[in-house]
Every structure is written in C-alpha cells, then in structure tokens.
Amino acid sequence: MSDSAPPVSLDQQSATLTATLFNKLPPVLARALQLAAIPYWFDLPLLTALRGPDDADARTQKILDWLNERSFVSRLPRDRYVLNTDVRDLLRARWTQDRQGFAEANRRLADYLAGRIATASGPEADELRQAYIYHLLGADGGAGIAELQKAFAEAEFSHRLAVAERLVEVAAEQRPFLEPRHAAWIAYLDARSLQLHNRWEASCAPLQSLLEQADLPTELRPRVQAALAASLVETQHWTQAIELYQQARVAFETNGLYDQVATCQLGLGYAHMDLGLNIWGQRESRPTPPPSVRQTLVDLATLPVRLP
C-alpha cells in the first residue's frame, strides 16, 4: 500500500489559488495585493499611504472593497484587514526579489504611522508603535533596532511585560529581510522577554546560541554574556555565570559603559554569594536587602536593556 499524501490545508489551497489569481490580475490590483502583504494588518488609511502619493485617490477604497470580497482576506475589528498566513507568506516571498521596493514601501508606512501615533493613546498607541517599529525595521534595520530597544526598555521599566513580549514577536517577522547583525538583536530581546517572565532555564539555550555566533556584533556580545550569566545564576550554574559576568565586565569597562559595569558587579556579588551559601548548604538563607536598596538593585539590573 502506498503512503497517502499529506493533507493540504485550506490556507495552502488558498495560497495556490491566489498565485494563479495574481498572475491574471490587472496591474493595479496585482500591485495592491502585493503591497497588502507587507503590513501584518491594514486599513484604508494605511493602504492609501502604502500605495504612495501617486495612487492616493478614491481607487484605494474600491481596491479595499475588492480585497474584502476575497476569501483569503479577513476583516478585523476597527475596519482592519489581514491576509491569511499562507497567502501573505507567498506574496511576501516575492519581495525578496525587490528589496529596494520593499524598503521604500516600509518607509512610507513608517512615516505615516509616526504621524498617526501622535494622535493615539492607550492600547491603540501601543499597537501603532508596534506597527511603526515593524515597518521601520523593514525600511532601515539599524534605526528599527534602536527604536525596538527603546520601546522594549520602556515596557520593561513600566512592568508592561505583555507589551514587551508583543514588540519582539511582531519585530521577529521581519528577520528574513534583516542583516544578521540586526536579526541577532531581535533574538537577544526574545530571550530577554523570557527572562522577564522568569523563564530563566528556557532563555539559556537561545542566549548560548547567540554567543556561539562568530559574527555577533561587538556591542551585543557583552549584553548577551550578562543576560546568560543572570539566567545561569537563577538555574544554579554559578561558576559559569561568574566567568561570563567577568567577561562582560571587561568589555563594558573597555567601552566606558560604567553603569553596566556596576550591573555586572552586582551580578557577580549574587553569584559568589549563592555559590558560597550552596557550598555551606544554606542557599535559601540569602539575605534580603531592605526595600530601598532592593529597588536600587532592580533598577541597576535592568540597565543593560534599558540603555542603547
């Protein structure tokens, strides 16, 4: 008996049909569909900005109406739309052959969203900032990473962990279009988001994998070392943690980043304390700092990700 073929999902069928449809579309609709695959959601203003100043006219509403009638387009609350995953992946893959056009389209969206954020508040402002960073990454990897770091640090400092996690999740989708050095920053922040949820052991493998990259950016390596050391302390691998903290401290000292040197010193203190208490069988008796000191230590410990 021959093996049966694996089942084909409805999304895969839709993607295949879309590929056929795409090749038969009038140029205006084909271009609009290709552009609609760039954002992970779109609405009328976003699609208008995406099509550019030459196409920003009443035809955009007709194009949106046409998209809304397609089986591979879903309508979300607040008059937003999204392509199904397989269709969007298929269309996004086409952009790998036109990276300049992809960057220019993302730049239009980033510029548009920057203005839209200014008038938003609450959860909508968070969503728009996530979208802004997403498209800034597509336009300029370096600028996007800088903005991602800033937003992540602000979310962490204000204990908005879900926002920090979502920032990284959204940004990660742009990895195929990023240079390795920029993709490494997203992997680092992804591991940091695990740490924010006290998933210390789960964060060790991705951080270790980053350290094994020969082309890891010089400015990122000590941050990864310090982050991995923190996880190793929490998982009771103190000797390895001490070595990593020492390596990170040297790098930070060399670059004059003395606030982060202080963070490493703090980590080294805890690692040595826990190691000593473990040797004497008293690990659970680590002294607890008074509240004012404890808050200072927490603030210092988060500096590596709160500062560029």
Side-chain angles (χ1 to χ4, degrees):
M1 181 183 296
S2 61
D3 294 335
S4 59
V8 178
S9 72
L10 291 176
D11 277 355
Q12 289 172 327
Q13 293 178 34
S14 183
T16 301
L17 291 173
T18 301
T20 302
L21 170 66
F22 186 85
N23 294 326
K24 296 181 179 180
L25 285 176
V28 170
L29 291 180
R31 180 175 181 272
L33 182 57
Q34 182 77 44
L35 288 169
I38 293 177
Y40 55 93
W41 62 262
F42 58 91
D43 56 13
L44 178 59
L46 201 71
L47 187 60
T48 300
L50 183 58
R51 296 182 66 226
D54 295 338
D55 292 324
D57 52 34
R59 286 191 302 174
T60 303
Q61 180 63 63
K62 294 181 180 180
I63 288 172
L64 187 61
D65 293 340
W66 177 83
L67 285 169
N68 189 36
E69 294 172 355
R70 307 282 74 79
S71 62
F72 51 81
V73 177
S74 299
R75 187 167 184 169
L76 305 176
R78 291 177 289 174
D79 292 324
R80 293 180 179 179
Y81 302 83
V82 62
L83 303 183
N84 81 31
T85 301
D86 284 350
V87 169
R88 184 163 176 258
D89 287 348
L90 182 150
L91 294 172
R92 271 172 59 87
R94 291 173 175 260
W95 283 110
T96 60
Q97 306 302 316
D98 182 13
R99 290 181 177 269
Q100 181 177 350
F102 182 79
E104 290 171 355
N106 275 282
R107 171 58 68 186
R108 290 196 296 274
L109 290 180
D111 290 345
Y112 163 74
L113 287 165
R116 188 163 166 179
I117 290 170
T119 60
S121 61
E124 183 184 13
D126 290 333
E127 292 177 1
L128 292 176
R129 191 177 188 189
Q130 290 160 10
Y132 166 71
I133 292 171
Y134 176 86
H135 292 297
L136 188 58
L137 282 166
D140 182 339
I145 289 298
E147 189 65 25
L148 176 61
Q149 285 181 271
K150 179 181 177 182
F152 185 94
E154 291 173 1
E156 179 186 14
F157 190 58
S158 60
H159 304 288
R160 304 170 70 208
L161 305 189
V163 172
E165 186 175 20
R166 180 60 177 162
L167 280 165
V168 179
E169 180 184 355
V170 168
E173 192 181 278
Q174 293 285 39
R175 281 180 183 172
F177 295 92
L178 295 176
E179 297 177 21
R181 62 195 177 101
H182 296 142
W185 276 98
I186 294 178
Y188 163 69
L189 291 176
D190 192 22
R192 285 287 298 116
S193 69
L194 292 174
Q195 292 181 322
L196 296 184
H197 291 278
N198 294 321
R199 298 182 61 191
W200 302 103
E201 187 170 358
S203 71
C204 287
L207 289 168
Q208 183 62 53
S209 178
L210 279 171
L211 281 183
E212 292 170 358
Q213 294 182 15
D215 58 350
L216 188 68
T218 303
E219 68 276 13
L220 178 56
R221 183 169 294 277
R223 297 175 188 270
V224 176
Q225 290 171 329
L228 180 54
S231 290
L232 290 172
V233 168
E234 295 296 331
T235 54
Q236 303 184 28
H237 295 87
W238 302 292
T239 302
Q240 295 168 270
I242 289 169
E243 181 180 354
L244 284 169
Y245 270 134
Q246 290 173 335
Q247 293 172 3
R249 181 182 62 183
V250 170
F252 288 140
E253 285 178 341
T254 300
N255 291 293
L257 301 175
Y258 297 112
D259 45 8
Q260 296 178 49
V261 171
T263 302
C264 289
Q265 286 294 119
L266 174 66
L268 279 167
Y270 271 124
H272 282 293
M273 183 188 303
D274 282 355
L275 179 59
L277 292 173
N278 181 69
I279 291 174
W280 291 98
Q282 300 176 13
R283 185 177 191 279
E284 296 304 321
S285 64
R286 176 203 281 182
T288 301
S292 59
V293 175
R294 186 185 307 120
Q295 186 58 53
T296 299
L297 296 182
V298 169
D299 289 344
L300 281 172
T302 58
L303 278 173
V305 294
R306 283 165 41 200
L307 298 173

